[in-house]
Structure formats: C-alpha cells, structure tokens
Amino acid sequence: MAIDMKWFDEMEGRIPRGGVRTRFAPSPTGYMHVGNLRTALYTYLIARHAGGRFILRIEDTDQGRLVEDAVDVIYATMRRCGLTWDEGPDVGGPVGSYIQTERRDFYKKYAELLVEKGLAYYCFCDKAESAEDSGNFERAEDPCRALSKEEAEANVAAGRSYVIRQRIPEGTTTFHDAVYGDITVDNAELDDQILLKSDGLPTYNFANVVDDHLMGITHVVRGAEYLSSAPKYNLLYEAFGWEIPTYVHCSSVMINDPETGAVRKMSKRHGDPSYEDLVAQGYLSHAVVNYVALLGWAPHGDIAEQEFFTMDELIAAFDIAGISKSPSAFDMEKLNYFNANYLRGLSPEEFAREAEPWIRRTVKNEAYDAAAIAALLQARCERLSDIPEKVDFFDALPEYGADLYTNKKSKTNSEVSLEMLKQTAPVLSGLDDWSQDSIHGALVGLAEKLGVKNATLMWPLRIAAAGKAVTPGGAVEICRILGKDETLRRMELGMEKLNG
C-alpha cells in the first residue's frame, strides 16, 4: 500500500509551534458534568496563565451517544462560565476543522501509516468494538496480529470488514504526569486497542492523540480515570515520532451518596447535579466556577488562604503544582456558602435582574415591584431557588392560625395583637404618602404614643400582612410593596381572625 508522505509533511507544516496550547474536547452527549466543567476550567486557566491559546474541539465520533442540541449547550455553558476559546468550530482557526467527524479522513490515513510501519494491524475478527478504553489493562490475544501483510491486504481488497488495532510492543512503557509523576506499566498488561472502527471513525483514544498533535496541543488535562490509557497514548506518540505533550491528570470528584451515605465518585448516572442542574437550583455561574476551581487545586504563597477569586485572579494564581493527587469532596453546603457570598456581592441592580425570574414564579401580580421585593431578599437567601417560597405571600395571603400572633420576644398575644391592629388601621388609612419613610414614621410615632415597643406594634402587622412568622423584610417594607388598600384589607382579615 503506497503511503503519500508528502501529505503527512504538509500536515506537520500546519501545526502551530511555540507557546502553550490547550484544548477542551467535550463529547456532545448531554449536559456539562461538574468533573467536565473542572477539566474545562483547568485547561482554560493553564492556557491563560501562560498567555497561550485555548481551543475548543467537539469530539463527536461516538455517534450512538450524541444528543441533539448538545453542542449549543456546550457553547452556552462555557460562555456563561467565562471560558472563552481562541479556536473552535464556531470561530475557526489555523488547524480546523474542530469537529472530529469532519476530520475522519485524517484518522484513516494515520492508522494506515501505523500499519505500514508495523505498529498497527488489520483485525477481521467478529467481535464487539469498544470505542472506549476498558481501563483494566487486560490484553486479549488476536489471531489477526500474526497475519502477513499480504494476507491482511488481500482481505481488505476482498471487502472484508475490519478494524485497525494498535500493536503493543514487548517491554514496559513509562510516562510522566505533571500531578502523579512517573508511572511505569508492563506492556503485557495492555490490550491491542482499536484505533479505527469498522465504520471508518476513530476511537476516542486514537482521535485524541492525532488531533492533539495536529493542533499543537502542549498540555492535556483529563480525569485520573484516563491514567490507564496514558501508556497507549505514549506508545502512539512514539510510534509516530511525535513529541509527547504534558499530561495533567486530575483526581476524582467525590460525593456522599444522599441515599446510602457512602462516599463515591460524582456521576450524573447517580443523579448528581450537572452545571445546568446547579444553575436551575439557583446557583450563580461565578459561584459554581469559583467553587469548582478549588475542587482539587489550592493556591499557594500569600494567597494560600484565599477562597474567593475573580476569573482574572484565578488566571494569575493558577499553577499546575497546586493540583492535588487526592480526591476532592463536592459539598453542597460549601457551595451554598460560596453562592451566598456571591449573591451578597452583587449590586442591587444585578441582584434584582438575577432574582426577578425567581420572584415571578410565585408573585404573578405585576403591580408588585420585583426590584423592591428583591431588595428584601439579597441578604436573606443562599440560592436563588430559595426565593419563590419566601415571597409567595404577596400574591395570595396563606392560610394561617391565630397562634402566629403570639410572640414572647415581641410581647404579643392574641389580645395585644388585636389591639395593635385596631390602633394601627386608622393611622395607616390616613396616610396620603405611602412611602417607606412615611409608613415607618407613622408606626414608630404610634408605638411611642401607645407606650409600647416597636416590635409589639410591628409583629401583628407583619403577621396580618404576610401570614407567615418568617418573612424577608419587616412589616414596613412588606406593607409598602403590598400597597395601602391590600395592606388594610389583610389587616381587616387579621382582626376578624383574632376576634374569632
């Protein structure tokens, strides 16, 4: 079989040289899992910290697992997380295409080159193909390994279905990882993995090596579960005579199983939240990104104790030496802590924009100012999803018992509360200016006139207005938002309840 080496030389000539180049290469098979997001983030930070290039590549060779619109989800997720790419399917670049199925002819040529070198072989056995590495280092004997070149080419010419397998040599393979150091594996434990499937598409492992080389990738970031595949990657790079990139394997993200309590690897298959799930649960993208950055990486030096980082600060601080070998624990309470801090840090206008869709889930009445309601909430929620239940009383006064009017701290009971509402109703009814200052001044003045503490007057008013013992904001803020007529109507209902 004649090999056109000029084509390979031309491909080599296209490769960008000099400077750090990293890539994130997701499969469009669903939403962005937390582990995938961390891989994308670390890959991005390595490139940006070094002033290099960050590339997005879509690995869609596993056609059976593709999910419609998943590529758009990938784009949207990365943009929301602030992970902008320099080259990719939608922006182009010097080494496109950046979609693997559009590069399928490349892989066949490189697989055939390895066959010509005697470092791969045609396999005609009728056995199930596996696009992914099993990771268990078991090696299966294959009779096709012993076929002569002439026999193999005759089978191909006769139209027999085949795959191309990597021919693992004798001996050992040592590879270096920036996190785990040098690892040596006995080649007898490696199987002759499939490089090219019978449909002409490459397996994940083969496509990764070819594309990473042709795109000039200098650092490859992936999960520690791929450590078992690294020897085969090394052998492929060596077979082609290519420079091996820096491997950066990241330890697993663990979680306590909510049902069993057992510690296990975080997985969407077990119902653990993806990035999209977390956003749907009311977490801000910046909070998620900040928290995920610290799942397996820690800053050093003067900022060793720092927890909160802007993206620019992460870029400046991030170094591979800070990545831990130990598994990290995903803790929802810790994420709540981060999210609450980010919510507090928003400007009132920013928080109102984030909160409004959540407010409108239960406050449908447009007469109630969402921005005014948001102002009550900013210091009182850890997640945006806390909001609907906190403010549902605006649209409809809930059913509540008269026992809510009794509060030891405010020195109220049913009799005291009824008297306070009777005294308060005409004062509020007489207000022409229904502003917060006006309402507050009238109520404080009334409390002083009656010789009671402010809380003794405010507690029954808030219960009548909201029908809840715990509310965002106090009586004054709630009454102002409800408006004069609705406040007085609810007070009348409260007095009827207390009159029993």
Side-chain angles (χ1 to χ4, degrees), residues 340-367:
N341 183 280
Y342 272 87
L343 288 174
R344 310 283 189 274
L346 295 175
S347 70
E349 295 77 18
E350 289 171 332
F351 180 80
R353 282 196 298 273
E354 295 284 354
E356 182 167 9
W358 297 87
I359 291 170
R360 291 304 179 198
R361 292 189 182 191
T362 52
V363 183
K364 309 292 186 183
N365 189 340
E366 295 288 340

Short mmCIF file of all heavy atoms in Angstrom, two decimals, residues 340-367:
data_model
loop_
_atom_site.label_atom_id
_atom_site.label_comp_id
_atom_site.label_asym_id
_atom_site.label_seq_id
_atom_site.Cartn_x
_atom_site.Cartn_y
_atom_site.Cartn_z
N ALA A 340 -23.95 32.19 48.48
CA ALA A 340 -24.48 33.27 49.31
C ALA A 340 -23.56 34.48 49.27
O ALA A 340 -24.01 35.63 49.18
CB ALA A 340 -24.67 32.78 50.75
N ASN A 341 -22.26 34.22 49.32
CA ASN A 341 -21.29 35.31 49.27
C ASN A 341 -21.38 36.07 47.95
O ASN A 341 -21.33 37.31 47.92
CB ASN A 341 -19.88 34.76 49.48
CG ASN A 341 -18.83 35.84 49.53
OD1 ASN A 341 -18.38 36.35 48.51
ND2 ASN A 341 -18.41 36.21 50.74
N TYR A 342 -21.52 35.32 46.85
CA TYR A 342 -21.62 35.97 45.54
C TYR A 342 -22.93 36.74 45.40
O TYR A 342 -22.95 37.83 44.81
CB TYR A 342 -21.48 34.94 44.43
CG TYR A 342 -20.04 34.71 44.03
CD1 TYR A 342 -19.25 33.78 44.71
CD2 TYR A 342 -19.45 35.44 43.00
CE1 TYR A 342 -17.93 33.58 44.36
CE2 TYR A 342 -18.13 35.24 42.65
CZ TYR A 342 -17.37 34.32 43.33
OH TYR A 342 -16.05 34.14 42.98
N LEU A 343 -24.00 36.21 45.95
CA LEU A 343 -25.28 36.94 45.90
C LEU A 343 -25.18 38.25 46.67
O LEU A 343 -25.67 39.29 46.21
CB LEU A 343 -26.40 36.08 46.49
CG LEU A 343 -26.86 34.89 45.64
CD1 LEU A 343 -27.86 34.05 46.41
CD2 LEU A 343 -27.45 35.35 44.32
N ARG A 344 -24.53 38.21 47.84
CA ARG A 344 -24.37 39.44 48.62
C ARG A 344 -23.50 40.46 47.89
O ARG A 344 -23.67 41.68 48.07
CB ARG A 344 -23.71 39.14 49.97
CG ARG A 344 -24.29 38.02 50.78
CD ARG A 344 -25.57 38.37 51.51
NE ARG A 344 -25.91 37.28 52.42
CZ ARG A 344 -26.60 36.19 52.08
NH1 ARG A 344 -27.04 36.06 50.83
NH2 ARG A 344 -26.88 35.24 52.97
N GLY A 345 -22.57 39.96 47.08
CA GLY A 345 -21.63 40.85 46.40
C GLY A 345 -22.18 41.53 45.17
O GLY A 345 -21.54 42.44 44.63
N LEU A 346 -23.35 41.10 44.70
CA LEU A 346 -23.95 41.75 43.54
C LEU A 346 -24.44 43.14 43.90
O LEU A 346 -24.84 43.40 45.05
CB LEU A 346 -25.13 40.91 43.02
CG LEU A 346 -24.82 39.51 42.47
CD1 LEU A 346 -26.13 38.79 42.14
CD2 LEU A 346 -23.92 39.59 41.25
N SER A 347 -24.44 44.03 42.93
CA SER A 347 -25.08 45.33 43.16
C SER A 347 -26.59 45.08 43.27
O SER A 347 -27.09 44.05 42.80
CB SER A 347 -24.79 46.26 41.99
OG SER A 347 -25.49 45.83 40.83
N PRO A 348 -27.33 46.01 43.90
CA PRO A 348 -28.79 45.82 43.98
C PRO A 348 -29.43 45.61 42.61
O PRO A 348 -30.36 44.80 42.48
CB PRO A 348 -29.26 47.12 44.63
CG PRO A 348 -28.09 47.58 45.45
CD PRO A 348 -26.89 47.19 44.65
N GLU A 349 -28.92 46.31 41.61
CA GLU A 349 -29.49 46.17 40.26
C GLU A 349 -29.20 44.79 39.68
O GLU A 349 -30.07 44.17 39.06
CB GLU A 349 -28.93 47.26 39.34
CG GLU A 349 -29.31 48.68 39.72
CD GLU A 349 -28.54 49.23 40.90
OE1 GLU A 349 -27.46 48.66 41.24
OE2 GLU A 349 -29.00 50.22 41.52
N GLU A 350 -27.96 44.31 39.89
CA GLU A 350 -27.61 42.99 39.39
C GLU A 350 -28.41 41.90 40.09
O GLU A 350 -28.91 40.96 39.46
CB GLU A 350 -26.10 42.73 39.61
CG GLU A 350 -25.20 43.55 38.71
CD GLU A 350 -23.74 43.44 39.11
OE1 GLU A 350 -23.46 43.21 40.32
OE2 GLU A 350 -22.88 43.59 38.23
N PHE A 351 -28.55 42.05 41.39
CA PHE A 351 -29.32 41.04 42.12
C PHE A 351 -30.78 41.04 41.67
O PHE A 351 -31.39 39.97 41.52
CB PHE A 351 -29.24 41.29 43.63
CG PHE A 351 -30.01 40.26 44.42
CD1 PHE A 351 -29.47 39.02 44.69
CD2 PHE A 351 -31.30 40.52 44.87
CE1 PHE A 351 -30.19 38.05 45.39
CE2 PHE A 351 -32.03 39.58 45.57
CZ PHE A 351 -31.46 38.34 45.83
N ALA A 352 -31.33 42.21 41.46
CA ALA A 352 -32.72 42.30 41.03
C ALA A 352 -32.92 41.59 39.69
O ALA A 352 -33.94 40.91 39.48
CB ALA A 352 -33.17 43.75 40.94
N ARG A 353 -31.95 41.74 38.77
CA ARG A 353 -32.05 41.07 37.47
C ARG A 353 -31.99 39.55 37.64
O ARG A 353 -32.73 38.82 36.97
CB ARG A 353 -30.92 41.54 36.55
CG ARG A 353 -31.15 42.90 35.93
CD ARG A 353 -30.22 43.14 34.75
NE ARG A 353 -28.81 43.14 35.15
CZ ARG A 353 -28.15 44.20 35.58
NH1 ARG A 353 -28.77 45.37 35.66
NH2 ARG A 353 -26.87 44.12 35.90
N GLU A 354 -31.10 39.07 38.51
CA GLU A 354 -30.99 37.63 38.74
C GLU A 354 -32.24 37.09 39.46
O GLU A 354 -32.69 35.97 39.20
CB GLU A 354 -29.75 37.31 39.58
CG GLU A 354 -28.43 37.63 38.91
CD GLU A 354 -28.05 36.61 37.85
OE1 GLU A 354 -28.75 35.59 37.71
OE2 GLU A 354 -27.05 36.84 37.14
N ALA A 355 -32.78 37.89 40.37
CA ALA A 355 -33.86 37.41 41.23
C ALA A 355 -35.24 37.48 40.57
O ALA A 355 -36.12 36.68 40.90
CB ALA A 355 -33.89 38.24 42.53
N GLU A 356 -35.41 38.40 39.64
CA GLU A 356 -36.77 38.63 39.11
C GLU A 356 -37.44 37.37 38.55
O GLU A 356 -38.61 37.10 38.86
CB GLU A 356 -36.77 39.73 38.05
CG GLU A 356 -38.16 40.01 37.52
CD GLU A 356 -38.26 41.28 36.71
OE1 GLU A 356 -37.21 41.89 36.42
OE2 GLU A 356 -39.39 41.67 36.37
N PRO A 357 -36.73 36.54 37.73
CA PRO A 357 -37.42 35.33 37.22
C PRO A 357 -37.88 34.41 38.35
O PRO A 357 -38.91 33.75 38.22
CB PRO A 357 -36.35 34.66 36.36
CG PRO A 357 -35.38 35.73 36.02
CD PRO A 357 -35.37 36.65 37.19
N TRP A 358 -37.14 34.37 39.43
CA TRP A 358 -37.50 33.51 40.56
C TRP A 358 -38.64 34.13 41.35
O TRP A 358 -39.52 33.40 41.85
CB TRP A 358 -36.27 33.29 41.45
CG TRP A 358 -35.17 32.57 40.74
CD1 TRP A 358 -34.18 33.11 39.97
CD2 TRP A 358 -34.96 31.16 40.71
NE1 TRP A 358 -33.36 32.14 39.47
CE2 TRP A 358 -33.81 30.93 39.91
CE3 TRP A 358 -35.61 30.07 41.29
CZ2 TRP A 358 -33.32 29.65 39.68
CZ3 TRP A 358 -35.12 28.80 41.06
CH2 TRP A 358 -34.00 28.59 40.27
N ILE A 359 -38.64 35.45 41.49
CA ILE A 359 -39.74 36.14 42.17
C ILE A 359 -41.05 35.90 41.43
O ILE A 359 -42.08 35.60 42.03
CB ILE A 359 -39.44 37.65 42.27
CG1 ILE A 359 -38.27 37.90 43.24
CG2 ILE A 359 -40.68 38.42 42.72
CD1 ILE A 359 -37.75 39.32 43.23
N ARG A 360 -40.98 35.99 40.10
CA ARG A 360 -42.20 35.89 39.30
C ARG A 360 -42.76 34.47 39.22
O ARG A 360 -43.85 34.26 38.70
CB ARG A 360 -41.94 36.42 37.89
CG ARG A 360 -41.71 37.93 37.82
CD ARG A 360 -42.87 38.70 38.42
NE ARG A 360 -42.66 40.16 38.38
CZ ARG A 360 -43.32 41.02 39.14
NH1 ARG A 360 -44.24 40.57 39.99
NH2 ARG A 360 -43.08 42.31 39.04
N ARG A 361 -42.06 33.52 39.78
CA ARG A 361 -42.62 32.17 39.84
C ARG A 361 -43.81 32.11 40.79
O ARG A 361 -44.71 31.30 40.62
CB ARG A 361 -41.56 31.16 40.27
CG ARG A 361 -40.47 30.96 39.23
CD ARG A 361 -39.56 29.79 39.58
NE ARG A 361 -38.49 29.65 38.60
CZ ARG A 361 -37.68 28.60 38.52
NH1 ARG A 361 -37.82 27.60 39.39
NH2 ARG A 361 -36.72 28.54 37.61
N THR A 362 -43.78 32.96 41.82
CA THR A 362 -44.91 32.97 42.77
C THR A 362 -45.58 34.33 42.88
O THR A 362 -46.71 34.42 43.34
CB THR A 362 -44.43 32.52 44.17
OG1 THR A 362 -43.30 33.30 44.57
CG2 THR A 362 -44.07 31.05 44.19
N VAL A 363 -44.89 35.38 42.48
CA VAL A 363 -45.50 36.72 42.51
C VAL A 363 -45.88 37.09 41.07
O VAL A 363 -45.09 37.67 40.33
CB VAL A 363 -44.55 37.77 43.11
CG1 VAL A 363 -45.23 39.12 43.21
CG2 VAL A 363 -44.06 37.31 44.49
N LYS A 364 -47.07 36.71 40.68
CA LYS A 364 -47.52 36.93 39.31
C LYS A 364 -48.07 38.33 39.10
O LYS A 364 -48.12 38.83 37.97
CB LYS A 364 -48.60 35.91 38.93
CG LYS A 364 -48.25 34.46 39.21
CD LYS A 364 -47.14 33.97 38.30
CE LYS A 364 -46.91 32.48 38.49
NZ LYS A 364 -45.78 31.99 37.67
N ASN A 365 -48.51 38.96 40.18
CA ASN A 365 -49.12 40.28 40.09
C ASN A 365 -48.05 41.32 39.76
O ASN A 365 -47.19 41.63 40.59
CB ASN A 365 -49.81 40.63 41.40
CG ASN A 365 -50.65 41.88 41.31
OD1 ASN A 365 -50.46 42.71 40.42
ND2 ASN A 365 -51.59 42.02 42.24
N GLU A 366 -48.11 41.85 38.53
CA GLU A 366 -47.10 42.81 38.08
C GLU A 366 -47.15 44.13 38.86
O GLU A 366 -46.23 44.95 38.79
CB GLU A 366 -47.28 43.10 36.59
CG GLU A 366 -47.03 41.90 35.69
CD GLU A 366 -45.56 41.53 35.59
OE1 GLU A 366 -44.72 42.39 35.89
OE2 GLU A 366 -45.26 40.38 35.21
N ALA A 367 -48.23 44.34 39.60
CA ALA A 367 -48.32 45.57 40.40
C ALA A 367 -47.30 45.56 41.53
O ALA A 367 -46.95 46.62 42.05
CB ALA A 367 -49.73 45.72 40.96
#
